[in-house]
């Protein structure tokens, strides 16, 4: 959606296909980091964007065993919005869609599910999609695969991701929140368990982290066991876990960390989770995808306007621009998975925080490093794609 908005803003005729009828569903990625908020500022949208209901995280803390550690301080970042915004992703998507529709060269097709690529003379020339009105064929100078970690586009293109692996899965659930509850983003780890808690206004969005493949064993223990584990990790939630009536109230999120060795072929480019599925550590997946979109628009908008189909060399430039920060962030996530997540999940008694995390208590300046990595990433993209009237560069049959 961000790339579609940026290309339409530059004057490139753009069509987005969305297989659902609306965006109103439960997304995992509802954290909007300072890098994305700064991009909204560069586009002149930040003030209106922040009028949408959201919560702001300026300081994130973790409790490991009996020790509370302030871990991340966003207040020192060199950006206009020095916080993480917690906002339903459907609100973010609706906002971008509404702004993009103001450009005459933007079109959003809902209930349109891509079911195949069109390939002609060795290049991808568009897509075929199923809609409520029948089959739709769209020919395009460039097709973007941004359809997530289970991407049909990358599968149809013959792209095979490198599986980097993750030691955990996540149980995603909601618990009621009271106005007297403190905190916006909390992290709890103890006795082989991990719980992340996000303030969503009227409720707490909770991510209960489990060892990879252990969901069936946990379900066999019954919902009462899960209630007890959550209450033990976060005692202030003890009176609310009864809201979990069964495992129907719990969604299993299978964590995958992978990366395509090649993100493109003639006429096709993959970005976001379709190119690199991220670990939930740091909640950076959405924001890395937004950075992909900005870089792609910066590199491709001009050539799309001037020449139509971009060369494979230009598509390679997008991958080169974004592959290095992806590898760095995934590398850091793997280190944390091995040295923290696996250690916490493998524990049985009282968990003791590693010595280097205790330093965050006594040296507040250390909290700025994870804030910069989470908030801005490794290579922050600035919007340089143009804003101008455009011409049509592709058309539906």
């Amino acid at each position: 959606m961000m790339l579609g908005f940026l290309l339409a803003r530059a004057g490139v005729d753009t069509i987005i296909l969305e297989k659902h009828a609306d965006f109103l569903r439960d997304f995992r990625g509802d954290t909007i980091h300072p890098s994305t908020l700064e991009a909204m500022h560069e586009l002149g949208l930040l003030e209106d964007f922040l009028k949408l209901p959201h919560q702001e995280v300026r300081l994130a803390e973790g409790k490991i065993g009996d020790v509370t550690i302030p871990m991340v301080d966003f207040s020192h970042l060199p950006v206009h919005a020095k916080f993480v915004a917690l906002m339903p992703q459907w609100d973010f998507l609706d906002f971008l869609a509404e702004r993009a529709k103001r450009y005459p060269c933007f079109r959003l097709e809902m209930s349109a599910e891509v079911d195949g690529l069109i390939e002609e003379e060795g290049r991808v020339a568009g897509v075929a999609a199923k809609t409520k009105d029948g089959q739709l064929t769209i020919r395009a100078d460039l097709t973007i695969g941004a359809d997530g970690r289970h991407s049909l586009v990358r599968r149809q293109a013959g792209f095979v991701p490198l599986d980097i692996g993750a030691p955990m899965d996540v149980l995603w659930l909601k618990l009621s929140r009271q106005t007297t509850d403190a905190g916006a983003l909390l992290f709890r780890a103890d006795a082989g368990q991990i719980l992340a808690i996000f303030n969503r206004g009227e409720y707490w969005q909770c991510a209960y982290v489990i060892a990879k493949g252990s969901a069936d064993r946990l379900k066999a223990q019954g919902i009462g066991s899960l209630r007890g584990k959550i209450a033990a990790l976060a005692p202030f939630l003890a009176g609310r876990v009864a809201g979990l009536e069964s495992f129907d109230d719990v969604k299993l999120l299978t964590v995958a960390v992978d990366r395509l060795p090649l993100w493109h072929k003639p006429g096709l480019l993959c970005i976001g989770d379709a190119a690199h599925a991220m670990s939930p550590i740091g909640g950076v997946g959405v924001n890395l995808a937004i950075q992909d979109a900005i870089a792609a628009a910066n590199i491709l908008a001009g050539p799309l306007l001037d020449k139509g189909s971009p060369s494979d060399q230009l598509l390679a430039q997008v991958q080169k621009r974004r592959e290095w920060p992806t590898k760095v962030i995934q590398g850091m996530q793997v280190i944390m998975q091995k040295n923290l997540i696996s250690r916490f999940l493998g524990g049985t008694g009282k968990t003791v925080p590693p010595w280097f995390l205790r330093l965050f208590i006594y040296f507040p300046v250390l909290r700025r490093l994870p804030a910069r990595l989470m908030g801005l990433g490794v290579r922050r993209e600035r919007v340089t794609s143009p804003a101008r009237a455009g011409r049509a560069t592709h058309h539906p049959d």
Side-chain angles (χ1 to χ4, degrees), residues 280-350:
I281 294 173
V284 298
V286 169
N287 299 278
L288 206 67
I290 294 291
Q291 297 292 296
D292 288 355
I294 295 171
N298 289 345
I299 292 170
L300 300 176
L304 281 166
L305 279 170
D306 296 338
K307 300 178 182 178
S309 182
S311 68
D312 214 36
Q313 289 75 22
L314 282 172
L315 301 181
Q317 282 185 33
V318 178
Q319 177 174 348
K320 183 178 180 181
R321 176 77 188 173
R322 298 305 308 158
E323 187 173 33
W324 179 76
T326 299
K327 286 181 176 180
V328 171
I329 296 298
Q330 285 184 331
M332 292 179 178
Q333 290 182 329
V334 168
I335 290 172
M336 293 184 68
Q337 286 178 170
K338 290 180 178 178
N339 293 281
L340 291 179
I341 303 299
S342 294
R343 172 179 170 178
F344 292 157
L345 291 177
T348 53
K350 182 64 66 176

Side-chain angles (χ1 to χ4, degrees), residues 32-46 77-83 291 294 375-376 380-383:
I32 303 173
H33 286 48
S35 61
T36 298
L37 295 172
E38 190 68 5
M40 301 299 277
H41 168 75
E42 293 169 357
L43 293 165
L45 302 177
L46 182 61
L77 294 179
V79 291
H80 290 80
K82 304 176 188 296
F83 52 83
Q291 297 292 296
I294 295 171
L376 301 183
R380 179 161 59 96
E381 305 291 346
R382 291 172 170 81
V383 177

Side-chain angles (χ1 to χ4, degrees), residues 234-295:
F236 77 98
L237 294 175
R240 307 172 214 182
V241 293
L244 297 176
E245 296 182 2
S246 72
F247 273 96
D248 291 339
D249 298 321
V250 180
K251 181 178 181 181
L252 173 65
L253 301 177
T254 302
V255 176
V257 183
D258 63 38
R259 183 176 65 248
L260 289 181
L262 186 66
W263 301 14
H264 61 91
K265 62 190 300 185
L268 174 69
L269 173 68
C270 290
I271 62 171
D273 274 6
H276 48 72
M278 308 300 291
S279 166
I281 294 173
V284 298
V286 169
N287 299 278
L288 206 67
I290 294 291
Q291 297 292 296
D292 288 355
I294 295 171

Side-chain angles (χ1 to χ4, degrees), residues 51-71:
K51 291 177 183 177
L52 296 174
H54 68 281
Q55 292 75 44
E56 298 177 2
V57 179
R58 299 176 186 273
L59 178 68
E61 68 174 24
K63 188 173 183 181
I64 302 173
D66 295 326
V67 182
T68 299
I69 303 173
M71 290 183 173

Side-chain angles (χ1 to χ4, degrees), residues 4 12 48 50-51 80 108 116 139 192 205 211-212 234 239-240 256 262 265 305 331 361 365 395:
V12 178
D48 287 342
L50 291 179
K51 291 177 183 177
H80 290 80
L108 174 61
R139 297 185 179 276
Q205 182 70 67
K212 173 68 72 175
R240 307 172 214 182
L262 186 66
K265 62 190 300 185
L305 279 170
I361 301 173
V365 70
H395 56 86

